[in-house]
Every structure is written in structure tokens, then in C-alpha cells.
């Protein structure tokens, strides 16, 4: 019976890994659909989620981890999966009464960010769906003349995230005379937003009804520089309002402007790069408890002491995405494995493994050491080394 208990625990762990991987795969597909709808000026509704495709992706990752899905559904934008492992307790002496039993597990993934706290700097995760629009393109129903600002913002890597808000009587969004522009909430994205806000203040300050971006340290109100206002709501985007914008990039219509013409290319621009559309809007796929409350930190073992809970959760999600939780996972050199191959829980290549003090093959190290080296790599390079960090929306 002790053998049966040990096998059951092992099988349960494998099944849980399969469920986690399946839920994350489904959540990534939901994230992709939200962004695709956003780019088409549409706010994806939960009933519009393509569950056939979501569940097909989830099934692939469940199968890769030795299980099959028995249930796949969504609650709002969260994906919930139940799986049954393929391992069974057949032919183990003393366990005849449970022959054929298989491990069952379930998991839930959400495309929304973690919210504040934890010290990891993901910003306020959220419950509200991004209302889309591509920088330099869609204005989300705002005055088309505001495109001159969106086009310049796009050169900095910013994109329109909000335009017309029917019924909003407290801001210029209600009349379509304002747009919000954002970049991913990475160090590079934050710097890009500040540079754009500075550029806007310098070149269009006398033109604008409003310019608000908290890190700027001041605002523009009716063409005049003023003390910061509405600061709490504008740290993660730049708000521009203009009731009489130029009709073309080179047009001098409206109040006088100073400095570089609106149509000129800014210097020191930012190419949005790998952050994608998800980073600025809390679209970071992660696992939560099946009942939807809280995170999965309590379930995560093998993590060195002193690692913030939010980082534990992030690296766990990256690990599941990279290796399915298999400490012996291998991507041979060539193809997806790159020229050097990728190995272990966090898919290290050998030079990267050695750069954080590892010796030999990562697969020969215990999972606890693999975790420790991954944390060391994060401390040096952030999440950049892991392709899955981009897939999940963390970068």
C-alpha cells in the first residue's frame, strides 16, 4: 500500500502539471483573441471566445504531459480545465482494489494581470477589458483629426488604448476629443511614454486642452502648464485632449504651436518591440485557484527563500510553458532548440546555465537547483531570456 500511495502522489503531480499546462495554453489563446479583436476596434465579449480553438490548444498541452481533458470551459475570460492522467495503478501488488484508477486534476488560468503588491512591478492588473485600437491607425471612435497625435505617438512605440466613451460626461472622451496612448509597462515602455509626453508638452503644449501623464511631473490644461492633476489614473498611459486639432500633420490650424511641426519625426524614439499589445493592459496569463480567488503560490515548491510571491508565480508559469514542469525536458540543437539546445525546467542552454554558476547539464541538477539558477538569471536579465515570458504577456 505504501507503493500505491507513492505512485498515486506521483501520478497526481503529473496530472496537475498537465492541467496547469492546458489551462495556460487556453489562456494564451484567449489573450490572442482579445488582442486580435482590439486591433479590429472591437472589445471581445466572453461569449465570442472561440472555445473550440481554446480547448484544442489546451488538449494539445494536456496530451504532451500525459493526460487528457475531461472538461474545458470558461467563466468570463478565465479558462478552467479538468484532466485525467493516463497513468494507472494496474499490476501493483497489494493495490488490486484500485487497479485502473487514474489521477485527476484541474486548473484555472486568467489573462489578467496580478494587480498591485508583491513588489514585482506589474502594475494594477485588472478586471476591465482593454478597449482596442492601433496607434497610428484606429482612434476608437475619437475625432479623426486626432490621428496626427496618434501617428507621432506610434513612432515612440505607443498605441491608442481609448478614444470615444459614450456617456462619459466627466472628460473629453465623452465628446470624442481625447485619446489615451500607451506602451507596454516595461522599463523601455515607461521611458517611451515619458519621452512622448515630454515631446507633446514641448511641441503642442499651447494647442492642447489636456495633457496628462503622471511621470511628467506636471500637466497641460487649456494650453497652460499646471500642477499635476488626475495623477492616480494616468501613470500607465498618456492622455491627450484637443477640441481643435490640426486637420493634417503639417497644418497650422488651431492655436499656435511651438517647436517642431506635428508631422516631424521625433528623435530618441522607441520601437515597441517584443512587449506586444498585451503588456500595457494587464494581459498576462497566469494560473489562479480553481475558484478564481488568489494565486497559486501555495502550490509551488522548490523555490528559494526570499523570492517574492508574485515572482514565484511568474516563474512557475514560465516553467510550465517552457517545459511542462519536466526537469529532464529537452529541445535538441536545431529547430526550436536553437543552435545550442535547451534543457531542464527552464530550458537553459549550456552557456546561460554556466553564466549563473551551473555546471554540466541542467537536467542533471535537482529541480531545486534549476529553480535557484532561474531566479539568479532573472535577477541579472529579467524575463528576457525566456520565450514563454513573451507568450504569456509578461514582456
Amino acid at each position: 500500500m505504501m507503493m500505491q500511495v507513492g505512485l498515486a502522489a506521483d501520478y497526481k503531480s503529473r496530472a496537475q502539471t498537465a492541467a496547469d499546462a492546458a489551462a495556460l495554453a487556453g489562456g494564451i489563446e484567449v489573450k490572442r483573441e482579445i488582442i486580435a479583436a482590439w486591433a479590429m476596434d472591437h472589445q471581445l465579449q466572453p461569449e465570442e471566445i472561440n472555445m473550440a480553438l481554446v480547448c484544442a490548444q489546451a488538449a494539445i498541452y494536456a496530451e504532451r504531459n500525459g493526460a487528457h481533458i475531461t472538461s474545458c470551459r470558461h467563466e468570463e475570460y478565465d479558462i478552467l480545465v479538468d484532466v485525467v492522467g493516463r497513468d494507472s495503478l494496474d499490476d501493483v501488488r497489494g493495490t488490486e482494489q484500485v487497479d485502473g484508477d487514474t489521477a485527476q486534476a484541474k486548473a484555472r488560468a486568467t489573462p489578467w494581470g496580478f494587480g498591485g503588491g508583491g513588489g514585482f512591478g506589474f502594475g494594477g492588473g485588472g478586471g476591465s477589458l482593454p478597449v482596442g485600437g492601433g496607434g497610428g491607425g484606429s482612434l476608437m471612435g475619437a475625432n479623426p483629426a486626432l490621428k496626427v497625435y496618434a501617428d507621432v505617438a506610434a513612432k515612440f512605440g505607443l498605441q491608442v488604448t481609448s478614444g470615444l466613451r459614450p456617456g462619459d460626461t466627466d472628460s473629453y472622451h465623452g465628446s470624442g476629443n481625447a485619446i489615451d496612448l500607451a506602451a507596454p509597462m516595461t522599463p523601455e515602455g515607461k521611458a517611451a511614454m515619458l519621452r512622448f509626453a515630454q515631446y507633446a508638452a514641448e511641441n503642442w503644449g499651447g494647442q492642447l486642452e489636456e495633457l496628462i501623464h503622471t511621470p511628467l511631473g506636471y500637466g497641460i490644461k487649456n494650453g497652460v502648464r499646471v500642477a499635476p492633476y488626475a495623477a492616480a489614473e494616468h501613470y500607465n498611459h498618456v492622455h491627450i485632449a484637443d477640441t481643435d486639432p490640426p486637420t493634417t500633420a503639417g497644418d497650422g490650424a488651431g492655436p499656435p504651436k511651438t517647436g517642431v511641426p506635428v508631422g516631424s519625426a521625433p528623435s530618441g524614439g522607441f520601437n515597441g518591440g517584443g512587449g506586444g499589445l498585451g503588456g500595457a493592459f494587464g494581459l498576462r496569463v497566469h494560473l489562479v485557484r480553481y475558484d478564481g480567488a488568489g494565486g497559486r503560490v501555495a502550490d509551488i515548491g522548490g523555490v528559494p527563500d526570499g523570492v517574492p510571491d508574485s515572482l514565484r508565480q511568474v516563474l512557475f508559469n514560465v516553467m510550465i510553458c517552457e517545459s511542462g514542469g519536466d526537469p529532464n525536458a529537452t529541445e535538441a540543437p536545431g529547430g526550436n532548440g536553437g543552435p545550442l539546445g535547451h534543457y531542464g525546467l527552464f530550458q537553459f542552454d549550456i552557456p546561460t546555465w554556466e553564466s549563473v554558476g551551473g555546471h554540466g547539464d541542467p537536467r542533471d541538477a535537482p529541480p531545486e537547483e534549476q529553480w535557484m539558477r532561474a531566479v539568479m538569471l532573472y535577477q541579472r536579465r529579467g524575463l528576457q531570456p525566456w520565450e514563454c515570458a513573451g507568450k504569456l504577456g509578461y514582456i
Side-chain angles (χ1 to χ4, degrees):
M1 185 55 69
M2 288 297 293
M3 180 179 292
Q4 184 271 337
V5 171
L7 284 172
D10 183 48
Y11 294 168
K12 173 65 175 177
S13 176
R14 294 186 203 176
Q16 188 60 62
T17 295
D20 290 346
L24 283 172
I28 290 170
E29 171 57 26
V30 172
K31 173 192 161 194
R32 187 196 67 77
E33 293 181 18
I34 290 173
I35 292 172
W38 180 90
M40 298 294 292
D41 265 4
H42 177 61
Q43 178 172 313
L44 186 78
Q45 300 301 311
E47 61 271 18
E48 296 172 324
I49 295 172
N50 186 341
M51 287 304 295
L53 188 53
V54 167
C55 294
Q57 291 296 313
I60 290 171
Y61 279 82
E63 290 291 334
R64 287 181 183 176
N65 288 278
H68 66 272
I69 288 179
T70 57
S71 174
C72 175
R73 61 190 178 87
H74 71 97
E75 290 183 4
E76 294 294 321
Y77 299 93
D78 291 6
I79 299 301
L80 295 82
V81 298
D82 293 26
V83 308
V84 172
R86 288 198 295 264
D87 299 309
S88 65
L89 295 171
D90 294 330
D91 303 321
V92 180
R93 182 178 300 175
T95 67
E96 291 80 5
Q97 70 272 28
V98 291
D99 272 3
D101 278 10
T102 53
Q104 301 180 34
K106 55 191 179 181
R108 177 181 186 134
T110 181
W112 302 122
F114 290 105
F120 193 51
F122 278 162
S128 61
L129 188 64
V131 181
S138 166
L139 299 174
M140 292 309 303
N143 181 354
L146 293 172
K147 187 175 185 295
V148 293
Y149 301 131
D151 286 345
V152 175
K155 298 176 184 179
F156 286 86
L158 278 63
Q159 297 165 324
V160 177
T161 59
S162 185
L164 175 66
R165 299 177 192 163
D168 184 350
T169 59
D170 296 325
S171 79
Y172 285 100
H173 285 288
S175 59
N177 288 310
I179 52 175
D180 292 341
L181 304 121
M185 285 295 284
T186 61
E188 297 83 2
K190 292 175 183 178
M193 287 189 282
L194 179 56
R195 286 199 300 269
F196 172 69
Q198 292 168 334
Y199 179 89
E202 178 182 350
N203 292 282
W204 313 321
Q207 166 86 22
L208 301 175
E209 266 69 37
E210 291 179 337
L211 173 65
I212 314 174
H213 182 54
T214 305
L216 186 61
Y218 61 90
I220 299 292
K221 191 75 171 177
N222 297 323
V224 178
R225 178 169 167 163
V226 297
Y229 61 101
E233 297 84 20
H234 292 86
Y235 70 95
N236 61 354
H237 66 275
V238 180
H239 168 89
I240 283 182
D242 189 349
T243 58
D244 186 21
T247 55
T248 66
D251 193 343
K257 299 181 293 295
T258 61
V260 182
V262 172
S264 298
S267 60
F270 167 70
N271 183 355
L277 303 180
F281 312 120
L283 291 182
R284 304 176 178 100
V285 182
H286 64 113
L287 297 165
V288 294
R289 279 171 36 190
Y290 198 74
D291 63 7
R296 286 286 301 279
V297 174
D299 301 336
I300 303 171
V303 188
D305 292 337
V307 179
D309 283 352
S310 55
L311 179 55
R312 288 162 60 96
Q313 179 75 71
V314 168
L315 287 180
F316 178 78
N317 292 338
V318 168
M319 177 196 72
I320 291 295
C321 177
E322 290 280 353
S323 69
D326 179 3
N328 297 304
T330 303
E331 282 189 339
N336 291 336
L340 302 175
H342 300 134
Y343 310 99
L345 288 173
F346 291 92
Q347 293 291 278
F348 280 95
D349 60 35
I350 299 302
T352 303
W353 175 252
E354 292 175 344
S355 75
V356 289
H359 297 282
D361 189 326
R363 296 170 297 183
D364 295 332
E368 291 77 11
E369 181 180 352
Q370 295 188 39
W371 264 99
M372 179 185 72
R373 305 291 176 203
V375 171
M376 293 173 65
L377 182 60
Y378 167 78
Q379 290 170 337
R380 295 184 183 185
R381 297 173 57 190
L383 293 169
Q384 179 273 331
W386 290 287
E387 180 182 358
C388 274
K391 292 181 180 178
L392 294 169
Y394 299 139
I395 58 175

